[in-house]
Amino acid sequence: MALIHPTALIDPSAELDSSVAVGAYSLIGPHVKIAAGTKVGPHCVIEGHTTIGRDNTFFQFSSIGAANQDKKYAGEPTTLVIGDRNTIREFCTLNVGTVQDRGETTLGNDNWIMAYCHLAHDVVIGNECVLANNATLAGHVQVGDHVTIGGLTGILQRMRIGDHAMIGFQAHVAQDVPPFMTVDGNPLAARAVNVVGLKRRDFSTERIAVIRQIYKLLYRSGHTLDEAKTAIAALKGTDGGAADGDIDNMLTFLAASTRGIVR
């Protein structure tokens, strides 16, 4: 039997692995599925069509899988899907998706979500991201892998954050943030390559050098965006091609941007 505190209320239709722990006064609804090793702290509410993977930890007072805050929502059975080994701290709110978009809000694996964070409808977050306290993601935001988002940051609807980007404290994100960049300030601006993050992820000196060139072409060359994209593509094959995947990552991101990028 699952490790359920006697004051917790678990709907009989919920599917919990026998190793799931649920703390005092938590509520889990009928359409919830939770895989092995996950720990739900006290006073949590997990509802909606929510699927949670293995070895996650939910701290007290989290609201997971509640109806989204889109005024068009009419109770459709949209979903929230959470991967494995995520940490969700106190007072976080993760809502289900909407039928106007993909119908699913998605949190990947190995993410660290600090207190009071909000993931609105249809948000997609990749793997190994950090959201500091009070980071707020509006509907339809897409976040790549290995992204750090500073505390008290607000990200507007439909913005995209590229892999390995870092957003500083108290940012207002109203344009896409390209991969590998560090952005901060008010108004928000690109400051440098996220070198510290790349080194922590074992990027070679050669790869980082090419990414620095990409930054200069985007932000310091005086090129238009189209000119910068052409120049970035021309970097492929340099330094033995070690950074070709990073170049492709950047070009793919820029090609899909419809809201412009942080300048």
Side-chain angles (χ1 to χ4, degrees), residues 126-130 144-148 162-166 194 201:
N127 304 313
E128 299 189 44
C129 296
V130 175
D145 297 333
H146 306 287
V147 171
T148 300
D163 298 337
H164 304 283
M166 180 172 185
N194 182 17
R201 293 164 206 130

Side-chain angles (χ1 to χ4, degrees), residues 168-190:
F169 170 75
Q170 208 170 21
H172 170 220
V173 182
Q175 290 181 299
D176 293 346
V177 178
F180 315 116
M181 299 298 128
T182 295
V183 299
D184 71 356
N186 187 12
L188 195 67

Side-chain angles (χ1 to χ4, degrees), residues 132-144:
N133 298 315
N134 289 101
T136 299
L137 280 58
H140 319 286
V141 167
Q142 297 183 26
V143 178

Side-chain angles (χ1 to χ4, degrees):
M1 180 177 291
L3 307 174
I4 309 298
H5 191 276
T7 61
L9 296 178
I10 315 297
D11 190 281
S13 298
E15 300 179 23
L16 277 62
D17 183 86
S18 61
S19 62
V20 171
V22 182
Y25 302 103
S26 285
L27 280 69
I28 296 180
H31 305 295
V32 174
K33 300 178 181 180
I34 306 178
T38 288
K39 299 177 182 178
V40 179
H43 298 279
C44 292
V45 177
I46 304 179
E47 56 184 313
H49 290 77
T50 296
T51 300
I52 298 170
R54 301 175 60 93
D55 300 316
N56 296 282
T57 301
F58 295 87
F59 280 70
Q60 56 268 27
F61 306 109
S62 293
S63 175
I64 309 299
N68 60 66
Q69 299 178 80
D70 189 319
K71 293 176 72 173
K72 299 185 295 298
Y73 183 63
E76 299 91 349
T78 54
T79 61
L80 167 67
V81 176
I82 297 173
D84 302 331
R85 298 177 302 278
N86 296 288
T87 296
I88 315 290
R89 294 297 308 229
E90 300 84 351
F91 298 99
C92 288
T93 54
L94 282 66
N95 296 159
V96 296
T98 64
V99 294
Q100 287 77 28
D101 192 356
R102 57 200 298 273
E104 178 179 298
T105 303
T106 306
L107 178 67
N109 303 321
D110 301 296
N111 296 291
W112 185 261
I113 312 297
M114 297 187 194
Y116 292 94
C117 287
H118 175 62
L119 275 59
H121 51 276
D122 306 295
V123 161
V124 179
I125 294 181
N127 304 313
E128 299 189 44
C129 296
V130 175
L131 276 62
N133 298 315
N134 289 101
T136 299
L137 280 58
H140 319 286
V141 167
Q142 297 183 26
V143 178
D145 297 333
H146 306 287
V147 171
T148 300
I149 299 175
L152 296 170
T153 289
I155 303 180
L156 295 187
Q157 294 92 340
R158 303 186 187 279
M159 296 300 107
R160 298 165 58 248
I161 315 299
D163 298 337
H164 304 283
M166 180 172 185
I167 300 172
F169 170 75
Q170 208 170 21
H172 170 220
V173 182
Q175 290 181 299
D176 293 346
V177 178
F180 315 116
M181 299 298 128
T182 295
V183 299
D184 71 356
N186 187 12
L188 195 67
R191 305 297 179 182
V193 171
N194 182 17
V195 173
V196 172
L198 298 182
K199 287 182 177 179
R200 287 175 178 171
R201 293 164 206 130
D202 296 322
F203 274 57
S204 66
T205 301
E206 293 77 15
R207 288 177 70 186
I208 292 173
V210 173
I211 292 169
R212 285 183 187 273
Q213 292 181 62
I214 292 172
Y215 168 78
K216 291 177 181 177
L217 290 169
L218 270 179
Y219 293 107
R220 296 292 181 263
S221 65
H223 290 327
T224 67
L225 182 57
D226 285 340
E227 290 169 343
K229 288 191 285 188
T230 299
I232 291 168
L235 294 174
K236 293 191 72 170
T238 59
D239 293 317
D244 282 3
D246 306 314
I247 294 167
D248 287 336
N249 188 340
M250 178 62 77
L251 292 173
T252 299
F253 184 92
L254 295 175
S257 180
T258 60
R259 307 266 169 154
I261 63 169
V262 171
R263 302 301 292 181

